[in-house]
Amino acid sequence: MGEGGLRGLLAAVSVAGLAVSLYLTWVYAAGAAPVCAGDGQGCETVQSSPYSSLLGVPITALGLLGYAGLLVSAAFRGFIVALSGLFLALLGTLFSGYLTWLELFVIEAICQWCVASAVLMVAALALTALRLRYS
Amino acid sequence: MNEKRFAPWMIAAVILAAFVVAGVLVGLSQLGGTSAEDEGEEVQSLMSGIPQDGERLGQEDAPVEIRVYEDLQCPACAQFTRDSLSQIIEEHVEPGEAKLVSETLAFIGPDSVPAAKAALAAGEQNRHWQYATLFFLNQGEENGGYVTDEFMTNIAEQTRGLKVEQWNESREDDELESRLQEVQDTASDNGVESTPTIVVSGPGGERELVGAVPAEDVTQAIEEVE
């Protein structure tokens, strides 16, 4: 796959991530509970945990910023842009890993939306790393 | 292009920077997580994943039932909660061997009534046990006037997953009065004279424990009635 294909895929992953983060940020702001498959309590538990915000900023808003940055990096060519994408995707993956650990061992509840976002972030990391070969 | 020559270094720097920033974010998150919210989180993690329905904590078809007659203002009940509850939940309720049922009484003083109603209202969202446990952990002096709206709302805000607005509406429900009366009648019928009274029942009979008994006593009673 060439650079164009990788950038296209990265854009698609970023848009999917944006959609997930937007939905969760909207739910958080509205004080509602996210619609979660299954028994539906996991998403609510995670959302109401003290870890759902950082210095008053919802974690989902950080995701929103990350995916927006990745979408911008997918829109342009060049080594520095590709490097910026790698930075965002690696940061997002590391932080998502920490959040998933929190869900499993501290909050003891799984939010499927958060897991979906973590999977998208890992995909973005793979794409941004592959892209460096062409930049 | 110069940047090509420095590419490996730049990539290494970016990777290092991502790790450093992630570390800072994790640190900030941990700071936020170890605030006054901790107690609510601890109680939630103790009970998360265990089915709850109204005043019941545990699986409906659990072979052993542990009925706890308690008043939210009763200090011995708070002691029982602090010293024994988590062990009982972890060893017997979580594995599905037993279920806990709170029989919330309101006899110690006038403040017991709004406190009991607050717990029952939380039970309507299946958060009775989290709410009552947090109340016990923050309990003030018996009839000391600490049971204010502000105090009860503060507990509600610490209760994970409790919709506070809905809880506030539920607290005003006239039906709660009759539910409190029902519990009072049940307690009288069963000869409950003090709190906490813990009635452990199963296929092998029934055992009654009175006071802030250690978790081991409850375990022994469970083994006897199983």
Side-chain angles (χ1 to χ4, degrees):
Chain A
M1 186 186 295
E3 196 201 358
L6 288 172
R7 283 173 53 209
L9 273 177
L10 181 59
V13 165
S14 306
V15 168
L18 267 176
V20 171
S21 310
L22 256 176
Y23 169 67
L24 288 177
T25 307
W26 169 74
V27 162
Y28 188 98
V35 178
C36 202
D39 72 351
Q41 299 239 320
C43 296
E44 204 176 326
T45 306
V46 172
Q47 188 187 256
S48 59
S49 89
Y51 299 100
S52 64
S53 66
L54 202 65
L55 302 174
V57 179
I59 295 285
T60 54
L62 295 179
L64 209 55
L65 286 173
Y67 286 116
L70 283 169
L71 187 58
V72 171
S73 85
F76 298 97
R77 289 175 182 278
F79 183 67
I80 298 296
V81 174
L83 214 49
S84 308
L86 177 74
F87 171 78
L88 284 173
L90 180 57
L91 175 59
T93 300
L94 290 169
F95 197 57
S96 295
Y98 161 72
L99 292 173
T100 307
W101 171 81
L102 276 181
E103 283 178 65
L104 288 170
F105 301 106
V106 180
I107 307 169
E108 291 184 18
I110 278 288
C111 161
Q112 293 136 355
W113 293 100
C114 313
V115 172
S117 170
V119 169
L120 288 167
M121 220 19 126
V122 172
L125 177 63
L127 292 166
T128 52
L130 287 170
R131 188 186 165 187
L132 279 175
R133 291 190 312 182
Y134 299 97
S135 302
Chain B
M1 266 174 59
N2 264 347
E3 61 189 25
K4 278 277 188 260
R5 198 153 40 107
F6 295 115
W9 293 107
M10 289 169 88
I11 291 170
V14 158
I15 290 171
L16 182 66
F19 271 91
V20 169
V21 176
V24 170
L25 289 177
V26 168
L28 288 171
S29 165
Q30 285 294 318
L31 281 177
T34 52
S35 63
E37 302 280 335
D38 246 21
E39 222 167 44
E41 197 52 52
E42 273 172 39
V43 170
Q44 178 59 37
S45 70
L46 173 68
M47 297 176 190
S48 71
I50 303 173
Q52 233 181 117
D53 184 16
E55 282 62 67
R56 189 196 78 227
L57 176 73
Q59 290 170 19
E60 194 174 8
D61 58 357
V64 174
E65 182 180 76
I66 308 165
R67 300 191 91 78
V68 184
Y69 289 89
E70 55 193 358
D71 184 310
L72 286 166
Q73 281 210 94
C74 134
C77 302
Q79 192 190 335
F80 176 71
T81 297
R82 275 196 306 271
D83 300 346
S84 310
L85 188 66
S86 59
Q87 194 178 329
I88 294 165
I89 290 173
E90 283 164 5
E91 290 179 8
H92 306 293
V93 178
E94 205 167 353
E97 179 188 17
K99 60 189 172 196
L100 279 158
V101 179
S102 172
E103 296 285 12
T104 315
L105 292 157
F107 70 94
I108 285 178
D111 283 350
S112 296
V113 177
K117 283 183 177 177
L120 290 177
E124 288 184 14
Q125 293 180 48
N126 301 329
R127 295 288 189 283
H128 177 102
W129 279 88
Q130 283 96 326
Y131 188 92
T133 301
L134 284 166
F135 193 107
F136 283 133
L137 294 177
N138 291 280
Q139 193 187 60
E141 194 189 342
E142 206 173 314
N143 291 331
Y146 71 93
V147 187
T148 59
D149 254 6
E150 189 187 358
F151 174 83
M152 290 184 287
T153 304
N154 188 19
I155 300 291
E157 283 167 350
Q158 285 183 62
T159 305
R160 297 285 172 273
L162 186 75
K163 296 183 181 72
V164 178
E165 218 167 290
Q166 190 184 326
W167 166 81
N168 254 323
E169 285 170 21
S170 302
R171 280 199 298 154
E172 304 302 320
D173 198 337
D174 292 340
E175 183 230 3
L176 295 183
E177 290 279 354
S178 54
R179 282 175 61 193
L180 286 176
Q181 192 54 54
E182 272 171 39
V183 177
Q184 188 59 59
D185 294 344
T186 308
S188 303
D189 293 348
N190 292 315
V192 173
E193 287 171 353
S194 67
T195 54
T197 293
I198 300 134
V199 182
V200 182
S201 54
E206 192 174 276
R207 296 286 179 279
E208 189 176 285
L209 305 164
V210 179
V213 295
E216 288 74 16
D217 290 15
V218 178
T219 299
Q220 193 185 334
I222 289 171
E223 285 165 1
E224 288 170 3
V225 305
E226 261 175 341

